[in-house]
Amino acid sequence: MPLEPVPEPARAPAPYPVPDVAGYLAGRWSIERTVYDLRAGSEGSFRGTAEFRPDAAGDALLHVEEGRLTWGGTVYPAHRTLRLRPRPDGTAEIDFADGRPFHDLDLRTGRWTAVHPCSEDRYEGTFTAVAADAWHLRWRVTGPVKDQLLCSVYRRG
């Protein structure tokens, strides 16, 4: 039996405006993520860290996540690397590690929604800065291959 989509919190935190997304994200964050496979009716979790550090050229930040994914009672090592390329206006372009474009990121109002088509599926991510030391990310993935919800909380430290 498929899970129903997880409802938004009754009172979501107010967005925290971020004039410079690269400056805000730079450093180390802890991550707690819940992963829902809505089609299969299963749930997993990811616990780990994200580090936003300068790349070798010094013109971008590498976003490196590492941790452990628990799925179906089994724990797996998990990691990913993205590249954040800052713009002069405080926004950024996010690319995959291989250079393919992923999405834009603009947290000047504290909230941003990005859409990324991936083959036949659609990824819609809502980024919300909630404090100087915390932000939330909710990816909703829909399409013929996936029906997932990924809810992440990032905390500085």
Side-chain angles (χ1 to χ4, degrees):
M1 177 176 172
L3 293 172
E4 291 299 315
V6 176
E8 290 292 321
R11 187 161 191 264
Y16 174 86
V18 173
D20 173 15
V21 71
Y24 174 75
L25 292 174
R28 189 171 176 86
W29 300 81
S30 66
I31 308 167
E32 294 183 19
R33 178 176 298 138
T34 304
V35 181
Y36 302 94
D37 184 328
L38 302 173
R39 190 169 289 140
S42 53
E43 177 181 327
S45 64
F46 172 85
R47 300 290 178 267
T49 60
E51 186 175 1
F52 292 82
R53 61 178 183 252
D55 69 355
D59 58 358
L61 293 178
L62 291 180
H63 169 183
V64 179
E65 288 190 4
E66 298 178 326
R68 298 166 63 84
L69 173 68
T70 303
W71 193 264
T74 304
V75 178
Y76 306 92
H79 61 86
R80 75 172 179 172
T81 301
L82 300 171
R83 178 169 278 110
L84 183 146
R85 294 186 298 130
R87 296 182 182 125
D89 65 359
T91 67
E93 296 175 49
I94 310 298
D95 297 329
F96 292 105
D98 63 8
R100 290 177 297 128
F102 189 13
H103 61 81
D104 290 335
L105 184 57
D106 179 353
L107 289 175
R108 292 176 294 186
T109 67
R111 181 170 285 135
W112 179 255
T113 298
V115 175
H116 174 75
C118 184
S119 189
E120 295 181 42
D121 291 332
R122 179 180 191 268
Y123 285 66
E124 182 174 314
T126 302
F127 297 74
T128 307
V130 296
D133 59 357
W135 57 285
H136 299 171
L137 174 55
R138 182 181 190 271
W139 281 106
R140 181 70 172 100
V141 186
T142 56
V145 177
K146 294 180 181 176
D147 188 7
Q148 298 177 339
L149 178 63
L150 296 84
C151 299
S152 304
V153 175
Y154 292 74
R155 291 184 181 91
R156 185 153 320 264

